[in-house]
Amino acid sequence: MEKMAKEIEQEFEKIKSKVDPKLLYNPKFISLFEKACSYVNQFTMRDRLNHSISVSEDGKNIIITDEGKNKTYGQDKDTVMSTTISLDGENITEEYSLGILYKNPNPENRDLDLNLVTAYENKVYDENGIQITYGSFSDTFPFSSRTFSGNLKRQVLTNFKPTFGIGMMGPQLPRFYENAEAKFAYRYPQNLGVAYLVEREEKQNRQGKIKSTACAVHTEYPEELQILSSKPIAVFENGKYEPTGKYAGMSFDAVAEIYKKFFVDGIERSKTKENDPEMYDRIINVVNQSNHKSK
């Protein structure tokens, strides 16, 4: 761990002067950069083809890429990983892409002898380092070696990559998908205690499923957008959010106000106040500003 930390520090020193100051001094930037550099250690990479850390000319984008062989379960699998940390106005976005190409474990299906497993994550943090969106997408796409065009990196970062953005439909599907699962959650500064979650399942050539709910946000690490429970506080039906459980029959605005207070109370009891007082102050400042605007 100490060796890896030193290597990451050295990598950071190489690019620091090229990075846009707004990106560099965002409270979340350093941890995102360290995480991106350490992702490769999740895999046993062999015959590494490429490892690179590049910064765009304007300093607003950092791209960390690894390509090589990932040896798991006794089989070498072609693997590509890429993380982009970018500046968008005052916010920063972390985009993570993973693609693993391996032989189909089902020998009976001779027409499809390859599988491409893909996984994507997209997170947006505001200027205070508070996460405001989270998106994920995963799929396994089977095809024959005759139909695979090669260049795994290009395939993973273009044809099989979804698009994330706020909306009731969740992530926009990529060009190719087979049995995809996607999630997208977002919250607003006016109420950091409520997250809006879109869950989507799509099968090629079949009608997909989309479910939209409102959920409580976990307060132990309030800067991260983590859903507190699998049980939603409201379900989107008939064009609006309908509260569920003990809040059934109430207006959604009233329920949202209850969870806004729960969120603040939870922060006061969390370890954040003691372990990260600067982040605690930032979150409380956002909460106070939203309360002032609502009066």
Side-chain angles (χ1 to χ4, degrees):
M1 291 293 292
E2 185 176 339
K3 179 182 178 182
M4 185 176 72
K6 189 170 184 61
E7 290 175 353
I8 293 174
E9 183 179 354
Q10 292 172 347
E11 296 281 13
F12 175 69
E13 289 299 323
K14 292 178 185 177
I15 67 165
K16 185 168 65 172
S17 62
K18 304 175 185 178
V19 179
D20 186 291
K22 278 190 177 181
L23 186 59
L24 190 64
Y25 296 117
N26 185 289
K28 197 65 184 177
F29 173 75
I30 293 297
S31 63
L32 292 180
F33 180 79
E34 291 175 344
K35 182 176 69 173
C37 289
S38 62
Y39 265 147
V40 70
N41 292 279
Q42 298 177 22
F43 300 93
T44 304
M45 297 289 278
R46 300 178 57 192
D47 302 324
R48 181 169 289 157
L49 301 174
N50 176 42
H51 169 74
S52 64
I53 299 178
S54 61
V55 181
S56 61
E57 289 188 10
D58 61 4
K60 297 181 185 297
N61 299 278
I62 300 171
I63 303 174
I64 302 162
T65 303
D66 279 280
E67 294 178 84
K69 298 287 187 180
N70 164 28
K71 188 174 180 63
T72 55
Y73 304 110
Q75 181 184 354
D76 281 340
K77 302 172 183 178
D78 292 335
T79 302
V80 60
M81 286 180 287
S82 180
T83 299
T84 299
I85 303 171
S86 56
L87 182 68
D88 182 12
E90 299 296 322
N91 299 335
I92 62 174
T93 299
E94 176 199 35
E95 290 185 283
Y96 172 67
S97 304
L98 169 68
I100 301 176
L101 185 67
Y102 67 99
K103 291 182 179 180
N104 193 332
N106 183 3
E108 295 179 3
N109 193 344
R110 296 181 179 178
D111 292 332
L112 301 173
D113 55 2
L114 294 175
N115 273 335
L116 175 62
V117 174
T118 55
Y120 301 90
E121 286 190 353
N122 181 290
K123 301 176 182 179
V124 177
Y125 296 83
D126 69 9
E127 69 272 20
N128 295 302
I130 300 171
Q131 187 180 354
I132 53 177
T133 74
Y134 168 78
S136 68
F137 181 95
S138 61
D139 194 12
T140 298
F141 193 89
F143 45 84
S144 74
S145 56
R146 297 183 300 278
T147 61
F148 182 64
S149 64
N151 196 327
L152 179 62
K153 180 179 177 181
R154 185 177 67 240
Q155 295 282 353
V156 171
L157 299 183
T158 56
N159 291 338
F160 293 91
K161 187 175 183 179
T163 303
F164 295 91
I166 293 179
M168 295 302 296
M169 296 296 289
Q172 185 176 347
L173 298 177
R175 181 179 176 186
F176 298 116
Y177 66 91
E178 180 68 18
N179 188 17
E181 293 185 3
K183 291 182 180 181
F184 189 76
Y186 56 97
R187 59 178 170 174
Y188 297 106
Q190 294 87 341
N191 190 344
L192 295 175
V194 175
Y196 300 87
L197 175 64
V198 181
E199 298 174 276
R200 186 171 185 177
E201 293 182 6
E202 295 285 348
K203 297 181 184 295
Q204 193 68 269
N205 301 320
R206 296 186 190 179
Q207 183 67 37
K209 298 178 182 178
I210 299 177
K211 182 174 73 171
S212 299
T213 57
C215 307
V217 176
H218 206 295
T219 57
E220 190 55 54
Y221 299 96
E223 73 277 14
E224 300 294 336
L225 181 49
Q226 301 181 73
I227 302 300
L228 177 62
S229 170
S230 59
K231 294 182 179 180
I233 62 176
V235 176
F236 192 80
E237 294 177 338
N238 303 317
K240 62 180 181 178
Y241 285 98
E242 298 283 1
T244 61
K246 65 180 181 180
Y247 299 109
M250 294 178 60
S251 73
F252 176 68
D253 288 344
V255 175
E257 282 299 314
I258 291 173
Y259 278 90
K260 184 176 185 178
K261 184 177 185 302
F262 283 169
F263 182 77
V264 176
D265 292 343
I267 295 172
E268 295 296 335
R269 296 191 301 270
S270 75
K271 296 178 181 178
T272 299
K273 188 174 183 179
E274 178 182 350
N275 297 343
D276 194 349
E278 291 184 2
M279 179 55 71
Y280 166 81
D281 289 341
R282 292 187 192 100
I283 293 175
I284 291 299
N285 185 50
V286 172
V287 170
N288 290 338
Q289 286 180 355
S290 68
N291 288 337
H292 179 73
K293 290 178 181 179
S294 63
K295 292 180 180 179

